[in-house]
Structures are given as C-alpha cells and as structure tokens.
Amino acid sequence: MAKTAKNDKSNFAGDNIIRFDEVTFDWGSNKRILDEVRFTVRKGSKISLMGQNGAGKSTIFGLIIGDNKPESGEIFITNGVTVATAKQVIPRDQMELTVRDFFSNCFLEKIYDIDPRIDTVLEVVNLKTRGDIKDRQVKSFSGGQQARLLLASALIQDPDILLLDEPTNNLDKEGIDHLTQFLIDYKKTCLVISHDADFLNSFTHGVLYLDVYTKKVEQYVGDYKDVLEEIGRRIEKENMENSRLMKEIEAKKYQAGLFAQKGGQMRLVAKRMREKAEELEGDIVDVRKEDRTIKEFTIPSQKDLIGEIIKINGYSILSPTKHKPVKLTCNISLRKNTHLLISGPNGIGKSTMLESIVSKVDDLNIQTLLKKNLEHLPPVDATIASGVRVGYYRQDFSMMDFNDTVYESLEKIIRATEGRLIETELRAVAASFLISADNIHTKIASLSEGQKGLVAFARLVLLKPGLLILDEPTNHINFRHIPQIAKALDSYEGAMILISHVPEFVSQIRIDQTIEMGKGKN
C-alpha cells in the first residue's frame, strides 16, 4: 500500500528533508514512470533533476507536492516544511487573471498584505515594467516576463523547499544571470529541472538522474559536468568488464564443445563448462544507456519560391517609459535562403511582433488560433507574398490542438500539405523525433513540454514551409537535441525569422539580417 507521508515526524540521518523509499508510479494503466525509486535530499542543498524529455522529471515534482500519488512505496517530507513549485508554463486557465489574483491564488487563505508582498517578490525576480502592474492580466506579459511571474509565484510563499521546472525558458541573458545569482545566494532547499547545463553547473551541489530506460533515479554528488564524467568512467569500466567476461564465456563454450566431442567422462566436464559459461553470462552488466538523441534532419522548403517572400517596413516596441507602443521603421526583405534574427530584451515585444506578422497569413487555422489576440496586437508593417506556406513555432505550442493525438496532429499537416495521407512518411518523420508507437496515439496535452517541442518540429518537417517563424525553439528541449536543430535551421533554404535568447544556439545558425528591437527609427 502506497504511503505519502507529508509532514512526517521522523528525523532522518544526515538532516534529509525529502526521502523516496521504493516509490513506483505509473502514468495510466500501462506506462511505468518510476520503478522502486530511492533517493534522499539534504536540507539546504541545491539539486539538479536531470533526464530525457518525457522521462518523468515533472512527475517527481508532482509526487513531492502531492498532486501525484505513488502506486507503492513511501515519500517522506520532514515535519512542518512547506513546498512551492514554479512550473514550466502558466496554466491556460490562469492567463486571464490579474497579477494580484494570480499571486493571491498561491495561498489557501486570504492574504491582506498581498500588494506589498507582490512588490517585494517582483523586485527579487527583477521584473521591471512601467507603472503598477497588479491590475494587468497575466496574458499581457511576454514569455520572459511570465517566466519571472512563475518564479515569483513560488518565492512569494517563502517555502522551505523550492521546486523550479525549466526556470530559464524565455529568459534573456540578464534574466538568467539574475536568477543564477539568486540561487547561488539562496539558503533553503532547491530542486531544479533544466536542460541548460551551464546554468545548472553554476549553483548545484548534486544531481538526481532519472533514467528513462530503467525507471530508476541515480544520485550523484557534484554538478552535471561531474556527473557526465562519472557516468563516462562507469560506462568505460562496465564495457571493459563485459569484454573480459565475453572472452571468458566464449573460451568456456569452445572448451565445452571440445570435451563433448570426446564422449565418456569428458561430457560431464563439458556440462560444467556450459554451466560456468551461463554463470558468467549472468554477471554481464547492463551498461547504462545514454539519452537517445534525435537524428540529423532537414526542414524542406516550399518548392517554386520566387522573389520576395516577406517585406517588413515597420514594427512596434513596448517601451518601459511610455504608455503606448512606439512605432519604429526598418527595411527588411527576405527572399529564399535568407535568415533574419530578431533580438532584444524580455518584454520589448519580440513575440508580439511575430504574432502580428503571422496574423497577416491567409490561413483559416492560423486566424482561428490568433483571433482572440488580434485586437491586442500592435501593428506591424509587413507583407507576405501570396501562396507562401508559413511554419510557426510558438513558445506555448498553442499552434497545436492539445485535444489531438500526436498522430492526428501530424496527419492534419501532411493532408494539408500533400492533399492526402502518406502513412510511411508520417511514421518515418515521427520516429526521427523519438515519437514511438507507444506515444504516437497519446494526446498532445498529455506530453511533456519537451515532447511537445519535438512534435512541433515534426510538423514543420511535414509542412515544408516557405517562411519559417520560430519563437524560442530551444525552450524545453533536451540539450542533446539542440545541435541537430541548429544544423537543420542553418541549412533551411526558405525564408526564416528567429527569436532566441541562447547565444550558443544562434552562433550555429547562419544569420543574414538582424532586427535589434529598440534600435530602429521613429
């Protein structure tokens, strides 16, 4: 019988604040996520929770806060401690809330001094905007500002255990630097899920690694760089031992064959040799499998692209000193095989600019997607050539219907592009993005954020767009996949508009033109 013992009165050796003891958890009726997992977290430690997309890292957070219940095993949290989590994205049903109501919902009881608490915590997360923001709706903030609101919503609770799920997503360099310093100075217990190895290496004391194959959690001391080195040494040692065992097994089997041919008493010797070989086979170590990485891929561009694909003459920025969008001019013309980077700090309006451009696309699906936001979008002076297919990668993946299964989502794209279903192409592309037979019929809503990102890239491959528009395409993505994604974008032969706050990623992609928002002409 499973037992989740929050506020357990036990005192654990080594001042442990969290303990998982033989915890098993299944997602649905036939998908095991954790299998008799054991680990501990010491009070005041800062721990990285690592693992492949979809392995179940966020599920562990859910078990700690009590949203998920284990099938078996026990979860102990030291008596009296409080836990707060900053999730990867703000839930959709909270996007219409005002900032004041968003923070008020963090507490079970009414907080009468909520306004000064909000002011304090927004200062901590370095969220700077014009005027008092407490009456603004959450949806009116940029992705980077929403990331700061998520962090602030956890900090305002002043928890003993802070759980952060991909906190650097959408943050610019200033935001990441500020968050890093905050965590270095943080005195309480913190568990962080992130695919940003450099970020994690700057403040973590240890790593919990969730192996997607064994469903076990491996516990390491040191940062992620130390863990990779230790895993490498272990794999090398295990491979050497297995090689030695295999040579001995082959020798025993060869000897058994020779003795069996001689007959008589030699047959007993042969039998013992075979038994010894079987014993040695049982000693062969299951070498730890590394995270699977997506294969190199290309995003085919629309055929017969001629002339100018998109022309941008002007856009609007959200100035922190003025109360209305500020119109700026530019002179950008994108033709085939031309890549544009849009840069600027969080909150200046980069994602809004992309939405405004996409709102001009003559596509019923896109218009339906953006309909509720069209009246709020500041104008952009842009023209997209007729007949150009636009591939749009949004930060929140809302270009996909979350009620669709993965198969249905990909099928819609391939039918719209090719006019018919090509089953072999659909499944081949799905497999190349680690979409297996086990999850191809899973609803988009049930996927991890990282898996949604891979599905979004699979859709772009099937769409074969003439204009590719990408808003922070590395968010949530396992860092092992990023070189393949960068290579695909670098070689893309249509017109491309990219927003990314990851300099290392951008440096791997050919950029032909740049708009530095805020540096245009009034």
Side-chain angles (χ1 to χ4, degrees):
M1 181 69 181
K3 176 185 176 185
T4 303
K6 279 195 147 187
N7 300 324
D8 187 84
K9 296 182 180 180
S10 303
N11 289 316
F12 304 118
D15 203 18
N16 293 326
I17 196 170
I18 300 172
R19 177 158 64 93
F20 274 47
D21 189 8
E22 304 291 344
V23 172
T24 295
F25 179 81
D26 296 336
W27 188 264
S29 59
N30 60 357
K31 186 177 182 181
R32 179 139 297 182
I33 302 297
L34 305 177
D35 186 16
E36 297 184 349
V37 161
R38 302 183 67 181
F39 67 83
T40 59
V41 176
R42 290 172 60 90
K43 183 179 180 181
S45 61
K46 297 163 190 174
I47 303 296
S48 304
L49 180 52
M50 307 291 293
Q52 188 168 313
N53 288 140
K57 302 182 296 295
S58 298
T59 298
I60 290 179
F61 276 12
L63 287 162
I64 292 173
I65 64 178
D67 285 352
N68 300 326
K69 304 298 180 184
E71 316 302 323
S72 61
E74 298 176 305
I75 302 170
F76 297 104
I77 298 180
T78 301
N79 182 45
V81 305
T82 54
V83 185
T85 181
K87 297 181 179 180
Q88 293 188 35
V89 293
I90 295 176
R92 293 185 172 194
D93 60 1
Q94 296 183 32
M95 297 296 281
E96 304 288 332
L97 296 177
T98 64
V99 168
R100 183 179 292 105
D101 290 339
F102 175 71
F103 283 105
S104 296
N105 281 354
C106 297
F107 300 94
L108 296 176
E109 300 176 352
K110 183 176 177 62
I111 304 297
Y112 291 95
D113 62 341
I114 192 69
D115 278 17
R117 291 197 190 191
I118 293 173
D119 291 335
T120 299
V121 79
L122 292 183
E123 182 69 25
V124 171
V125 300
N126 199 34
L127 179 53
K128 300 173 182 177
T129 62
R130 59 183 184 275
D132 192 343
I133 67 171
K134 299 184 191 69
D135 292 318
R136 280 180 57 182
Q137 288 184 305
V138 170
K139 71 178 183 180
S140 69
F141 293 90
S142 72
Q145 291 171 324
Q146 288 180 19
R148 287 176 164 87
L149 287 175
L150 278 168
L151 177 59
S153 70
L155 298 182
I156 200 171
Q157 301 172 60
D158 191 25
D160 299 300
I161 301 173
L162 178 63
L163 308 177
L164 303 180
D165 198 346
E166 299 284 4
T168 62
N169 282 348
N170 299 312
L171 289 183
D172 55 18
K173 185 179 184 302
E174 180 187 8
I176 293 174
D177 289 345
H178 190 86
L179 174 59
T180 300
Q181 190 59 51
F182 168 81
L183 291 173
I184 289 172
D185 298 335
Y186 193 63
K187 303 302 181 185
K188 297 185 179 181
T189 306
C190 183
L191 276 71
V192 182
I193 296 172
S194 177
H195 289 110
D196 187 335
D198 291 337
F199 167 69
L200 293 173
N201 287 342
S202 64
F203 66 88
T204 52
H205 304 140
V207 171
L208 296 172
Y209 195 103
L210 176 53
D211 190 318
V212 70
Y213 301 101
T214 65
K215 320 298 182 188
K216 306 286 189 184
V217 170
E218 302 165 358
Q219 190 156 8
Y220 299 90
V221 175
D223 60 25
Y224 191 59
K225 180 181 178 182
D226 297 329
V227 172
L228 288 180
E229 291 175 353
E230 184 173 342
I231 289 173
R233 287 192 297 269
R234 195 180 92 184
I235 290 174
E236 183 179 3
K237 182 179 179 181
E238 290 171 349
N239 280 328
M240 289 176 63
E241 177 62 13
N242 283 349
S243 179
R244 184 191 68 79
L245 288 170
M246 287 302 299
K247 289 180 181 178
E248 192 172 350
I249 289 167
E250 290 301 318
K252 295 297 182 187
K253 288 182 176 179
Y254 177 73
Q255 290 172 338
L258 290 179
F259 288 131
Q261 291 175 9
K262 295 182 179 181
Q265 293 295 323
M266 292 296 99
R267 290 181 179 177
L268 293 176
V269 177
K271 181 181 178 182
R272 287 196 294 270
M273 291 290 182
R274 285 193 295 269
E275 289 173 349
K276 180 60 177 176
E278 290 174 0
E279 288 179 16
L280 292 171
E281 286 175 343
D283 291 336
I284 291 178
V285 179
D286 287 332
V287 177
R288 181 190 183 281
K289 297 178 181 178
E290 287 299 289
D291 289 350
R292 292 175 63 197
T293 304
I294 60 174
K295 298 177 181 178
E296 289 187 7
F297 68 98
T298 59
I299 300 175
S301 65
Q302 185 176 348
K303 294 181 179 180
D304 303 322
L305 290 174
I306 300 174
E308 190 174 68
I309 294 173
I310 180 172
K311 175 71 172 176
I312 306 174
N313 293 315
Y315 57 92
S316 300
I317 64 168
L318 305 176
S319 170
T321 60
K322 299 183 180 181
H323 296 287
K324 292 183 180 181
V326 177
K327 295 181 180 180
L328 302 175
T329 61
C330 62
N331 182 22
I332 298 292
S333 175
L334 299 185
R335 295 172 176 266
K336 184 177 179 179
N337 206 26
T338 309
H339 300 168
L340 168 68
L341 175 69
I342 299 178
S343 65
N346 285 148
I348 200 167
K350 300 185 300 298
S351 297
T352 304
M353 178 181 176
L354 294 192
E355 277 198 25
S356 298
I357 291 173
V358 175
S359 70
K360 299 178 178 296
V361 177
D362 185 19
D363 184 303
L364 180 60
N365 292 327
I366 291 178
Q367 294 302 317
T368 301
L369 167 67
L370 296 176
K371 186 175 181 181
K372 64 180 183 298
N373 295 323
L374 286 177
E375 65 271 20
H376 303 295
L377 295 177
V380 60
D381 184 1
T383 305
I384 300 174
S386 177
V388 172
R389 283 199 302 272
V390 177
Y392 182 26
Y393 186 109
R394 285 174 63 103
Q395 294 181 19
D396 60 2
F397 307 120
S398 58
M399 65 284 186
M400 298 187 287
D401 185 337
F402 280 25
N403 291 317
D404 282 345
T405 65
V406 176
Y407 184 94
E408 290 168 342
S409 185
L410 299 180
E411 181 185 14
K412 287 179 179 178
I413 294 295
I414 201 167
R415 285 189 183 277
T417 305
E418 305 293 343
R420 61 191 178 93
L421 173 62
I422 306 175
E423 181 85 16
T424 53
E425 183 179 2
L426 185 154
R427 291 191 177 273
V429 170
S432 68
F433 287 96
L434 308 184
I435 303 165
S436 65
D438 292 335
N439 58 16
I440 198 168
H441 294 294
T442 301
K443 284 195 173 185
I444 300 291
S446 298
L447 299 177
S448 72
E449 297 302 302
Q451 289 172 314
K452 289 173 187 163
L454 294 182
V455 173
F457 275 109
R459 285 164 51 96
L460 294 176
V461 170
L462 293 172
L463 179 63
K464 304 177 178 68
L467 173 61
L468 190 56
I469 298 179
L470 305 116
D471 192 356
E472 299 289 2
T474 60
N475 281 0
H476 313 289
I477 299 292
N478 188 317
F479 71 94
R480 296 178 186 275
H481 305 324
I482 290 178
Q484 284 79 6
I485 293 171
K487 188 172 183 178
L489 299 186
D490 180 63
S491 62
Y492 176 65
E493 296 182 353
M496 183 174 76
I497 304 175
L498 171 68
I499 293 174
S500 175
H501 283 120
V502 185
E504 183 180 356
F505 174 68
V506 174
S507 69
Q508 300 175 62
I509 301 169
R510 176 175 49 81
I511 301 297
D512 304 297
Q513 300 183 57
T514 300
I515 292 179
E516 296 184 34
M517 294 190 70
K519 295 186 178 181
K521 297 179 180 179
N522 286 90

